[in-house]
Amino acid sequence: MQQLDKLIVIIGPTAVGKTALSIHLAKRFNGEIISGDSMQIYRGMDIGTAKIKQDEMEGIPHHLLDIKEPHQSFSAAEFQDIVRRKIKEITERGALPIIVGGTGLYIQSVIYDYRFSDKGGDEAFRLKLEEKAEKIGKAALYEELLKVDPEAAKKIHPNNVRRVIRALEVFQTTGRKMSEYLEKQESKQLYDVALIGLTMDRELLYSRINARVDQMMKEGLLQEVESLWQRGIREGQAVQAIGYKELFAYLAGECTLEEAVDQLKQNSRRYAKRQLTWFRNKLPVDWFDVTDEKRRTEKIKEISDFLAGKLRLK
């Protein structure tokens, strides 16, 4: 029987404390960290994506940061391909790969035998739908998806235009519904994987999220967003990220700065809630509550010891 490569995945909502845990584990188990965040891949988008700073890395190699320009697109299929190659490279160096991040579908696509459509996308069709969304609105496009694939529509937020378009594109190019396609995915794990989830009391988490947004503003988030705006990057996948779209609305004169920051906090809290729900429903996670900040060091050691046993690590 083939021995599977070992892999640690740390998931959890934004601001829960994944970075500190990942550094501790990388030090203890000779690890290298792979970002599992779909927005930290973009150069010049550091503050709003809570990208780890150089001095916080403590010498630990980090991968999949700053590999794309903000105007470029990025998909789960591309992430799957790059990360699987990184896992192989890191393992061959005798180190332990540790994925850290909160984009659920991306994580799922890596650790399971998850196959994306053999047919490529239909760029002309996609552009047509993007133009349609601009003219008739997101809601009307979502109604189209409800007609052709109600099951897929149930799992996609009406405002997530990119995923609505992708589901319609799959139907257009393959003749199959996205929901049917996903049902046939293999559930076999490709790695000897330990999925660690961090959670905490909701009120404390929301308080930490609000404080993080305030800190981001102090560190120059507005200036970071203005830089993208001045470069003419007004549309596309990257600037739909939380932290950017709200401040773009301010720069476009659609709201005050105070309103934009309040919206940013609210959207971040809602995203954290959706992340937790998704992870609990979709992945076999070992959850650890990190609410008690006074016991944080103790909790990190508990998780570390748990992993040593689970993955038979030295």
Side-chain angles (χ1 to χ4, degrees):
M1 186 174 169
Q2 184 189 2
Q3 190 172 0
L4 300 177
D5 291 337
K6 297 181 192 299
L7 172 68
I8 293 173
V9 180
I10 304 171
I11 59 173
T14 183
V16 78
K18 298 184 292 292
T19 300
L21 174 63
S22 70
I23 296 294
H24 173 90
L25 296 177
K27 283 180 168 179
R28 176 169 174 179
F29 300 122
N30 184 32
E32 296 189 23
I33 294 169
I34 302 168
S35 169
D37 187 289
S38 62
M39 290 297 162
Q40 292 186 354
I41 60 161
Y42 291 111
R43 297 184 191 98
M45 293 176 61
D46 303 333
I47 300 168
T49 63
K51 199 178 290 175
I52 188 168
K53 299 180 180 72
Q54 197 69 39
D55 61 339
E56 293 171 335
M57 294 181 184
E58 297 189 36
I60 303 296
H62 280 67
H63 307 276
L64 258 76
L65 300 173
D66 303 325
I67 63 169
K68 290 271 185 179
E69 293 297 335
H71 65 272
Q72 294 177 305
S73 62
F74 191 65
S75 68
E78 195 174 351
F79 177 85
Q80 180 193 64
D81 178 57
I82 296 170
V83 171
R84 285 184 180 170
R85 281 191 279 116
K86 285 290 177 192
I87 290 171
K88 189 170 183 291
E89 289 169 15
I90 293 166
T91 303
E92 286 173 350
R93 282 197 286 272
L96 177 67
I98 303 170
I99 299 177
V100 184
T103 308
L105 176 64
Y106 282 34
I107 303 295
Q108 193 180 40
S109 76
V110 168
I111 63 178
Y112 291 105
D113 189 12
Y114 195 108
R115 295 168 196 178
F116 293 93
S117 171
D118 293 334
K119 286 196 178 184
D122 183 337
E123 192 168 351
F125 181 71
R126 192 185 318 135
L127 288 170
K128 193 168 91 174
L129 289 180
E130 286 171 1
E131 287 171 10
K132 202 169 185 178
E134 286 290 320
K135 287 176 185 172
I136 64 173
K138 302 172 187 174
L141 208 61
Y142 186 73
E143 286 295 325
E144 286 190 26
L145 181 59
L146 276 170
K147 286 174 191 168
V148 300
D149 191 352
E151 284 304 308
K154 276 184 202 170
K155 296 171 184 173
I156 300 173
H157 193 282
N159 288 338
N160 194 335
V161 179
R162 190 162 54 89
R163 285 192 63 200
V164 170
I165 288 174
R166 180 58 186 150
L168 288 167
E169 190 184 359
V170 166
F171 185 72
Q172 165 79 6
T173 55
T174 68
R176 289 169 61 192
K177 297 176 183 177
M178 174 77 94
S179 55
E180 289 172 358
Y181 186 75
L182 293 176
E183 272 172 21
K184 294 182 180 177
Q185 296 290 349
E186 293 286 339
S187 58
K188 182 178 74 173
Q189 285 189 1
L190 301 181
Y191 302 97
D192 183 6
V193 62
L195 277 153
I196 299 298
L198 300 185
T199 185
M200 64 171 49
D201 171 77
R202 185 172 291 179
E203 289 306 311
L204 176 60
L205 178 64
Y206 287 176
S207 171
R208 284 170 65 96
I209 288 170
N210 291 342
R212 172 178 276 192
V213 171
D214 289 337
Q215 184 60 31
M216 285 176 172
M217 293 303 292
K218 284 179 189 168
E219 288 178 5
L221 177 59
L222 179 58
Q223 289 73 24
E224 183 172 273
V225 176
E226 281 177 333
S227 172
L228 295 172
W229 178 272
Q230 285 160 8
R231 286 165 58 191
I233 299 167
R234 310 282 171 91
E235 296 174 353
Q237 187 175 335
V239 296
Q240 287 306 306
I242 295 171
Y244 296 85
K245 61 183 178 182
E246 296 86 0
L247 291 177
F248 264 50
Y250 161 68
L251 293 175
E254 295 167 12
C255 62
T256 66
L257 181 58
E258 187 180 355
E259 286 167 344
V261 172
D262 284 345
Q263 190 65 53
L264 168 48
K265 289 176 179 177
Q266 187 179 82
N267 288 344
S268 297
R269 296 192 300 268
R270 285 175 176 165
Y271 179 59
K273 187 179 177 183
R274 288 200 305 275
Q275 280 179 301
L276 281 168
T277 302
W278 198 97
F279 291 135
R280 286 188 173 125
N281 291 339
K282 299 281 188 181
L283 294 170
V285 179
D286 290 302
W287 290 98
F288 290 85
D289 190 291
V290 291
T291 300
D292 189 347
E293 294 184 339
K294 291 176 183 173
R295 293 186 63 245
R296 184 60 65 101
T297 303
E298 194 180 320
K299 183 64 74 170
I300 285 176
K301 185 178 184 307
E302 179 189 331
I303 296 168
S304 182
D305 291 344
F306 169 82
L307 286 167
K310 181 160 185 168
L311 293 181
R312 302 166 303 283
L313 299 168
K314 292 176 183 177

